[in-house]
Amino acid sequence: MRALLLEYYKLRRRRVWAMLTLFLAAELGWASVSMSISISRSASNASWEALIFSLSSMNGLFLPILAAIVISRICDMEHKGDTWKMLMTTTAGRRSVYAAKYTCAASLILYGILAQAVFIIGFGMLHKLEAPLPSGLLLQFTAGTLVASLLIAALQQWVSLAVKNQSFALCLGMLGGFLGTTASLFPAAVRKAVVWSYYLDLSPVTYHYQASAGSYITGTIPALQCIAALIITLLLYVCGNAHISRQAI
C-alpha cells in the first residue's frame, strides 16, 4: 500500500488524469457523432446493442494506445530519474514497486472503462432509446473490456520497464491499436492469437454481416476465451515481474 500511494504521489504533477480524460473525451466524442449519424440514417440503429458494439470496436483502436501512454508515463520516471537505485535503498523491493505500478495503471484504466459505461447510459437516455437499459450487457461489456485491458497493461508494463526508450513501448501500443482495429478481418484462429483483438472478442454484442444487411447479436462473453485472457495476463505479469526484479540497474 505504501508503494501504491507513492505511485499516485509521483503522478500528481504529470497530468496523467487530465491526459486520460482528454483522450477518453476524444473517443467518446467520436462514438457520439458516429452513433448520431448512424441513427439519423436508420432508426433501427437506435439500440443499446449498436452502442455497445460501436464502443467495443473503437476500444480496439483507442485503449491499446491509451494503455501504452499511461503506463509509459508511470514507468519512464524511474528511467529518466534513475530512481531504481534510490528505491532499492528503501524497504520496498522491486517486486512491490512492480505490483504498485501495475495496480496504479489498472486503476487509471478502470476509471476510463467506468466513464464509458456512464457514457452509454447517458447517450441512451439522451436519445431516448426505446428498450430499457440492458444492465446485463453493460456489466458484461465492462468486465470484458477490463479483462482485455489488464492483459494489455501487463504486456505494456513489462516492455516499458525492460526498455528505457519509451518510444518502443509507444510504438507497440500504436501497433496494437492497428491490430485491434483490423482484427475482425482476420480468421478466427489467427484472431485469438492477437491479444489486442480481445476488446471485440470479449464483447457481449457482435455484428452479423449478411448479403444485403446486417444485424446485432447479443449473447454472453465467451467464458473459455475470458479464462485464457486471464491466464495470459497472469503469465505476462509473473514473467515481467521476475525479469525486472533480476534486471541489472
Side-chain angles (χ1 to χ4, degrees):
M1 289 299 298
R2 188 177 303 172
L4 178 59
L5 291 175
L6 179 61
E7 290 301 321
Y8 286 120
Y9 180 76
K10 288 189 289 186
L11 291 178
R12 71 193 188 283
R13 294 182 180 176
R14 298 182 69 85
R15 299 182 177 87
V16 175
W17 288 100
M19 177 193 63
L20 176 60
T21 301
L22 289 174
F23 201 92
L24 283 170
E27 179 187 5
L28 299 180
W30 186 0
S32 179
V33 172
S34 176
M35 279 298 300
S36 297
I37 294 174
S38 179
I39 292 173
S40 65
R41 291 177 177 176
S42 175
S44 62
N45 292 325
S47 65
W48 296 101
E49 291 80 6
L51 181 57
I52 290 174
F53 179 81
S54 177
L55 268 179
S56 298
S57 301
M58 290 185 180
N59 281 342
L61 170 64
F62 282 92
L63 290 192
I65 300 175
L66 181 60
I69 295 172
V70 169
I71 293 173
S72 177
R73 295 287 288 173
I74 292 174
C75 297
D76 72 341
M77 64 183 75
E78 315 303 346
H79 296 306
K80 288 182 178 179
D82 197 20
T83 55
W84 276 117
K85 294 179 181 178
M86 288 190 293
L87 288 172
M88 294 307 100
T89 61
T90 66
T91 57
R94 271 190 276 183
R95 291 183 182 274
S96 298
V97 174
Y98 193 94
K101 288 185 178 295
Y102 184 76
T103 305
C104 180
S107 66
L108 292 171
I109 294 172
L110 178 60
Y111 157 73
I113 297 172
L114 294 177
Q116 290 185 350
V118 172
F119 167 79
I120 291 174
I121 297 172
F123 185 91
M125 295 176 62
L126 180 64
H127 288 264
K128 299 179 180 179
L129 301 184
E130 295 181 0
L133 174 66
S135 56
L137 288 181
L138 187 60
L139 288 174
Q140 290 184 72
F141 163 80
T142 304
T145 306
L146 179 60
V147 169
S149 297
L150 291 177
L151 193 162
I152 301 302
L155 175 61
Q156 286 291 155
Q157 180 166 314
W158 187 358
V159 174
S160 292
L161 287 176
V163 182
K164 289 186 178 181
N165 189 345
Q166 294 303 300
S167 298
F168 184 79
L170 294 174
C171 288
L172 178 63
M174 288 187 286
L175 175 63
F178 172 76
L179 292 175
T181 304
T182 59
S184 59
L185 304 176
F186 298 165
V190 176
R191 189 169 64 246
K192 290 179 180 179
V194 180
V195 294
W196 296 277
S197 69
Y198 285 16
Y199 286 106
L200 193 56
D201 288 349
L202 296 181
S203 172
V205 182
T206 58
Y207 189 77
H208 180 64
Y209 294 94
Q210 297 175 346
S212 58
S215 59
Y216 295 99
I217 301 175
T218 61
T220 57
I221 57 176
L224 290 178
Q225 194 166 359
C226 187
I227 294 172
L230 291 173
I231 292 174
I232 296 172
T233 302
L234 180 62
L235 289 174
L236 288 173
Y237 177 85
V238 171
C239 294
N241 199 340
H243 177 226
I244 299 303
S245 298
R246 293 196 301 266
Q247 196 174 32
I249 57 174

